[in-house]
Amino acid sequence: EPEVTQTPSHQVTQMGQEVILRCVPISNHLYFYWYRQILGQKVEFLVSFYNNEISEKSEIFDDQFSVERPDGSNFTLKIRSTKLEDSAMYFCAISRDSYNSPLHFGNGTRLTVT
Amino acid sequence: AQRVTQPEKLLSVFKGAPVELKCNYSYSGSPELFWYVQYSRQRLQLLLRHISRESIKGFTADLNKGETSFHLKKPFAQEEDSAMYYCALFTGTASKLTFGTGTRLQVTL
């Protein structure tokens, strides 16, 4: 299974601060995703990214969120001004293509907003 | 809109007993379904997908389009099967997975 490394494993931040979550896929995959899981709830899709642009996003992914792959390697999720309700596990995932190809997940970053 | 339902939050079975984790889906197109497993403090891992029709770690799942179900089964539970299990629906055109709420499987001696 391809490796997906996420950093940091745990991030604590104050409400209103900006956070950047990072994902480094080891092998060469085309599609990148962010999912999140609020404690006790299901894993929810946030955004998919292909060819340096967003291919789809959910209603959760509002103007406070952005993604980019600045150096062709790291895939980042930025939350501009964090809110308490942003506290969750954030999972990066990759796949070879968008159809008929399973997603491989990272270990996740636990974000705690205080 | 697509939806995945896992009715049980917790399923507790004895070692050696059969296991069935339920999953029902709602999707107007041709579904592609997966089971993901998350062991304690580890990442979500793909367990199996319906198009492969394979058995992984003794688990199988059959897609039943008539009942819109994709239940996960294993004839004899092992202690190491204890984990969270998530059923997920992949819609190719939307390039995303829709997850169920997950079922925690607890295998006891």
Side-chain angles (χ1 to χ4, degrees):
Chain A
E1 187 162 317
E3 278 284 312
V4 183
T5 302
Q6 287 187 244
T7 58
S9 56
H10 190 191
Q11 172 95 44
V12 181
T13 189
Q14 287 191 327
M15 200 166 54
Q17 295 296 304
E18 175 184 284
V19 293
I20 297 176
L21 311 182
R22 289 184 172 78
C23 172
V24 183
I26 298 298
S27 45
N28 208 12
H29 281 61
L30 298 178
Y31 284 82
F32 303 87
Y33 307 81
W34 284 101
Y35 285 77
R36 79 168 186 194
Q37 186 178 30
I38 295 171
L39 186 64
Q41 298 185 27
K42 65 179 178 180
V43 179
E44 300 174 291
F45 169 79
L46 289 178
V47 65
S48 58
F49 189 84
Y50 169 71
N51 203 24
N52 284 323
E53 60 183 31
I54 291 172
S55 53
E56 187 173 353
K57 59 183 181 180
S58 72
E59 58 274 11
I60 302 167
F61 194 88
D62 61 22
D63 292 342
Q64 293 297 317
F65 291 88
S66 62
V67 289
E68 60 176 3
R69 201 170 173 226
D71 55 6
S73 176
N74 286 323
F75 177 52
T76 62
L77 174 70
K78 183 193 290 186
I79 309 175
R80 240 180 297 280
S81 176
T82 51
K83 303 186 286 287
L84 292 176
E85 53 265 38
D86 293 328
S87 296
M89 281 291 287
Y90 287 81
F91 294 102
C92 173
I94 59 174
S95 71
R96 238 179 261 286
D97 50 55
S98 68
Y99 181 70
N100 214 30
S101 180
L103 270 63
H104 301 282
F105 286 84
N107 272 337
T109 293
R110 180 172 296 284
L111 176 65
T112 303
V113 182
T114 60
Chain B
Q2 53 266 28
R3 191 171 63 241
V4 177
T5 304
Q6 292 181 251
E8 303 141 327
K9 277 192 172 178
L10 172 66
L11 183 65
S12 189
V13 301
F14 288 111
K15 180 180 172 181
V19 173
E20 183 178 52
L21 299 170
K22 290 185 168 48
C23 172
N24 287 89
Y25 67 91
S26 172
Y27 180 54
S28 57
S30 184
E32 184 162 351
L33 287 140
F34 301 81
W35 276 99
Y36 279 82
V37 59
Q38 189 174 32
Y39 300 102
S40 180
R41 300 182 190 282
Q42 294 187 29
R43 70 186 66 202
L44 278 162
Q45 300 173 39
L46 178 66
L47 182 61
L48 51 80
R49 52 195 298 199
H50 90 268
I51 63 168
S52 302
R53 300 189 65 79
E54 56 193 347
S55 173
I56 304 292
K57 299 184 180 182
F59 285 97
T60 57
D62 289 316
L63 177 62
N64 185 324
K65 289 187 178 180
E67 294 182 359
T68 60
S69 69
F70 188 56
H71 303 326
L72 183 68
K73 298 177 185 179
K74 184 170 182 176
F76 308 104
Q78 303 297 315
E79 274 183 271
E80 55 266 28
D81 296 330
S82 295
M84 280 293 292
Y85 290 81
Y86 294 94
C87 183
L89 170 68
F90 186 73
T91 55
T93 53
S95 66
K96 68 184 184 189
L97 280 173
T98 298
F99 283 87
T101 48
T103 298
R104 178 171 298 283
L105 175 64
Q106 197 170 65
V107 181
T108 54
L109 295 175

